[in-house]
mmCIF file of all heavy atoms in Angstrom:
data_model
loop_
_atom_site.group_PDB
_atom_site.id
_atom_site.type_symbol
_atom_site.label_atom_id
_atom_site.label_comp_id
_atom_site.label_asym_id
_atom_site.label_seq_id
_atom_site.Cartn_x
_atom_site.Cartn_y
_atom_site.Cartn_z
ATOM 1 N N SER A 673 121.451 136.886 85.546
ATOM 2 C CA SER A 673 122.103 137.517 84.390
ATOM 3 C C SER A 673 122.473 136.433 83.388
ATOM 4 O O SER A 673 122.757 135.310 83.763
ATOM 5 C CB SER A 673 123.355 138.260 84.837
ATOM 6 O OG SER A 673 124.225 137.367 85.487
ATOM 7 N N PRO A 674 122.453 136.762 82.113
ATOM 8 C CA PRO A 674 122.779 135.767 81.089
ATOM 9 C C PRO A 674 124.282 135.689 80.862
ATOM 10 O O PRO A 674 125.000 136.642 81.163
ATOM 11 C CB PRO A 674 122.088 136.323 79.850
ATOM 12 C CG PRO A 674 122.150 137.790 80.036
ATOM 13 C CD PRO A 674 122.082 138.047 81.510
ATOM 14 N N PRO A 675 124.788 134.577 80.325
ATOM 15 C CA PRO A 675 126.207 134.490 79.998
ATOM 16 C C PRO A 675 126.606 135.581 79.006
ATOM 17 O O PRO A 675 125.841 135.912 78.107
ATOM 18 C CB PRO A 675 126.344 133.112 79.340
ATOM 19 C CG PRO A 675 125.169 132.345 79.799
ATOM 20 C CD PRO A 675 124.081 133.323 80.015
ATOM 21 N N GLY A 676 127.777 136.139 79.204
ATOM 22 C CA GLY A 676 128.211 137.224 78.325
ATOM 23 C C GLY A 676 127.823 138.563 78.914
ATOM 24 O O GLY A 676 127.707 138.709 80.131
ATOM 25 N N ALA A 677 127.638 139.535 78.073
ATOM 26 C CA ALA A 677 127.272 140.871 78.542
ATOM 27 C C ALA A 677 125.828 141.159 78.197
ATOM 28 O O ALA A 677 125.333 140.743 77.159
ATOM 29 C CB ALA A 677 128.172 141.915 77.895
ATOM 30 N N GLU A 678 125.165 141.840 79.105
ATOM 31 C CA GLU A 678 123.785 142.240 78.854
ATOM 32 C C GLU A 678 123.663 143.711 79.214
ATOM 33 O O GLU A 678 124.213 144.154 80.224
ATOM 34 C CB GLU A 678 122.823 141.422 79.726
ATOM 35 C CG GLU A 678 121.367 141.729 79.476
ATOM 36 C CD GLU A 678 120.466 141.286 80.626
ATOM 37 O OE1 GLU A 678 120.861 141.473 81.791
ATOM 38 O OE2 GLU A 678 119.387 140.753 80.357
ATOM 39 N N LEU A 679 122.981 144.465 78.394
ATOM 40 C CA LEU A 679 122.802 145.886 78.670
ATOM 41 C C LEU A 679 121.377 146.267 78.319
ATOM 42 O O LEU A 679 120.914 145.981 77.217
ATOM 43 C CB LEU A 679 123.801 146.702 77.827
ATOM 44 C CG LEU A 679 123.657 148.223 77.884
ATOM 45 C CD1 LEU A 679 123.969 148.745 79.269
ATOM 46 C CD2 LEU A 679 124.587 148.888 76.884
ATOM 47 N N TRP A 680 120.687 146.855 79.259
ATOM 48 C CA TRP A 680 119.395 147.442 78.901
ATOM 49 C C TRP A 680 119.205 148.781 79.561
ATOM 50 O O TRP A 680 119.566 148.983 80.709
ATOM 51 C CB TRP A 680 118.225 146.504 79.118
ATOM 52 C CG TRP A 680 118.020 145.908 80.479
ATOM 53 C CD1 TRP A 680 118.759 144.925 81.053
ATOM 54 C CD2 TRP A 680 116.976 146.217 81.411
ATOM 55 N NE1 TRP A 680 118.250 144.589 82.274
ATOM 56 C CE2 TRP A 680 117.149 145.363 82.516
ATOM 57 C CE3 TRP A 680 115.908 147.105 81.401
ATOM 58 C CZ2 TRP A 680 116.312 145.396 83.617
ATOM 59 C CZ3 TRP A 680 115.062 147.135 82.499
ATOM 60 C CH2 TRP A 680 115.271 146.278 83.595
ATOM 61 N N VAL A 681 118.698 149.710 78.809
ATOM 62 C CA VAL A 681 118.665 151.106 79.222
ATOM 63 C C VAL A 681 117.296 151.695 78.894
ATOM 64 O O VAL A 681 116.769 151.481 77.804
ATOM 65 C CB VAL A 681 119.767 151.908 78.476
ATOM 66 C CG1 VAL A 681 119.655 153.378 78.801
ATOM 67 C CG2 VAL A 681 121.139 151.385 78.826
ATOM 68 N N TRP A 682 116.740 152.384 79.866
ATOM 69 C CA TRP A 682 115.558 153.220 79.605
ATOM 70 C C TRP A 682 116.033 154.657 79.490
ATOM 71 O O TRP A 682 116.700 155.164 80.387
ATOM 72 C CB TRP A 682 114.547 153.121 80.755
ATOM 73 C CG TRP A 682 113.654 151.937 80.689
ATOM 74 C CD1 TRP A 682 113.870 150.735 81.269
ATOM 75 C CD2 TRP A 682 112.410 151.847 80.002
ATOM 76 N NE1 TRP A 682 112.833 149.879 80.982
ATOM 77 C CE2 TRP A 682 111.906 150.548 80.203
ATOM 78 C CE3 TRP A 682 111.656 152.728 79.224
ATOM 79 C CZ2 TRP A 682 110.706 150.112 79.664
ATOM 80 C CZ3 TRP A 682 110.453 152.289 78.694
ATOM 81 C CH2 TRP A 682 109.987 150.992 78.911
ATOM 82 N N PHE A 683 115.660 155.311 78.419
ATOM 83 C CA PHE A 683 116.019 156.720 78.265
ATOM 84 C C PHE A 683 114.840 157.582 78.717
ATOM 85 O O PHE A 683 113.688 157.138 78.752
ATOM 86 C CB PHE A 683 116.348 157.019 76.801
ATOM 87 C CG PHE A 683 117.627 156.389 76.345
ATOM 88 C CD1 PHE A 683 117.620 155.174 75.681
ATOM 89 C CD2 PHE A 683 118.849 157.006 76.587
ATOM 90 C CE1 PHE A 683 118.794 154.584 75.266
ATOM 91 C CE2 PHE A 683 120.025 156.413 76.164
ATOM 92 C CZ PHE A 683 120.000 155.206 75.514
ATOM 93 N N HIS A 684 115.139 158.832 79.046
ATOM 94 C CA HIS A 684 114.068 159.787 79.368
ATOM 95 C C HIS A 684 113.183 159.972 78.154
ATOM 96 O O HIS A 684 113.664 159.924 77.016
ATOM 97 C CB HIS A 684 114.678 161.134 79.761
ATOM 98 C CG HIS A 684 115.059 161.174 81.202
ATOM 99 N ND1 HIS A 684 114.138 161.084 82.210
ATOM 100 C CD2 HIS A 684 116.272 161.292 81.794
ATOM 101 C CE1 HIS A 684 114.765 161.148 83.370
ATOM 102 N NE2 HIS A 684 116.062 161.258 83.156
ATOM 103 N N ASP A 685 111.916 160.242 78.396
ATOM 104 C CA ASP A 685 111.025 160.380 77.247
ATOM 105 C C ASP A 685 111.188 161.714 76.536
ATOM 106 O O ASP A 685 110.456 162.033 75.615
ATOM 107 C CB ASP A 685 109.567 160.141 77.657
ATOM 108 C CG ASP A 685 109.231 160.893 78.926
ATOM 109 O OD1 ASP A 685 110.036 161.778 79.295
ATOM 110 O OD2 ASP A 685 108.195 160.596 79.535
#
Side-chain angles (χ1 to χ4, degrees):
Chain A
S673 57
E678 183 199 41
L679 174 66
W680 56 286
V681 175
W682 278 92
F683 290 96
H684 276 296
D685 46 14

